[in-house]
Amino acid sequence: MAVEAKQTCYEGSIIQNFQVYLEQSGEHKAILQCLRNILPGELKRCRIGAGKSSLDVLGVGSGGALVAKTTNLQKIPFAWHFMRSENYEREVKANRGMKTFDLIHMVHMIYYVDNLADTIKFYHSLLKNNGRLMIIVSTANSGWDTLWKTYKEELCVGRITEYCTSVDVAACLKSPGLKYEEHVIPITVDIPECFDPSSQTGEQLLNFFTMKDHFHQSFTPEIRAGMLDLLRNKCSTEKDGRLFFNADSSCILVYA
């Protein structure tokens, strides 16, 4: 089962930009490796699904386009809800029969919700006993955090209006006293081409970093120069003559 955070999050040219980002970062591979390392043990430890032949899982913002092409998922029943997370919440509450889940995952989607604390509270309320809410989000003080917090006025004007990181999620969990654990996922992005104006790959990476269709046309020369300087000197580290953007993510497991 999946809920789209917003229908307009990833569409058009941003899809191509995202693919270039994945090729340069290996983010999906890093996230999958993290999940393989922690989820089996976590499911066993908290006895999720013990004695049952199936699990009820809700994916928020996970989308459904690739399911038809993934052969080992063909026999798994899905219910798709292509709507904003807030609309799904209203629909569930209106029906007064809230289905509960063993595992709810929210992978890099909380940047797009209207109210972070309310969203976390709602989905946490849908957990079964011993269930887990898994939130994957950019790590505090990562390159993403540095770029978007420094240039909030220029960047938080479109799909994302309030950038949040693991520290913001943690604050929402600590306030009501929810128990959680955080696992950092090391991710780097090879970005030297971002500093070559003739590089299409560099342009697409910059577009994705800023969520713009045309980086070089979207900002004044001064803002562009400031962002590039920040990317080089505050958001990245040099290794073996290459420059790597710090794109660390955090996998936050919240207990029911």
Side-chain angles (χ1 to χ4, degrees), residues 13-25:
S13 62
I14 196 173
I15 296 176
Q16 285 74 44
N17 299 334
F18 182 48
Q19 289 301 323
V20 171
Y21 170 80
L22 291 180
E23 291 169 4
Q24 299 296 117
S25 69

Side-chain angles (χ1 to χ4, degrees), residues 207-253:
N207 292 347
F208 187 71
F209 285 144
T210 59
M211 292 297 165
K212 302 294 183 184
D213 290 331
H214 304 286
F215 172 80
H216 288 94
Q217 287 76 44
S218 297
F219 306 102
T220 66
E222 293 76 19
I223 294 296
R224 282 202 312 271
M227 287 183 175
L228 289 171
D229 181 70
L230 194 73
L231 285 173
R232 182 186 295 276
N233 296 305
K234 297 291 181 65
C235 301
S236 308
T237 56
E238 189 174 340
K239 182 179 180 181
D240 298 328
R242 305 289 291 181
L243 196 63
F244 294 93
F245 179 83
N246 176 358
D248 289 357
S249 292
S250 288
C251 176
I252 300 175
L253 288 174

Side-chain angles (χ1 to χ4, degrees), residues 34 106 108 111 134-140 165-167 181-187 247-253:
C34 174
M106 308 166 73
H108 285 307
Y111 321 108
M134 183 180 74
I135 302 172
I136 294 183
V137 61
S138 293
T139 303
T165 68
S166 58
V167 71
E181 56 187 61
E182 179 177 350
H183 304 267
V184 175
I185 308 172
I187 300 170
D248 289 357
S249 292
S250 288
C251 176
I252 300 175
L253 288 174

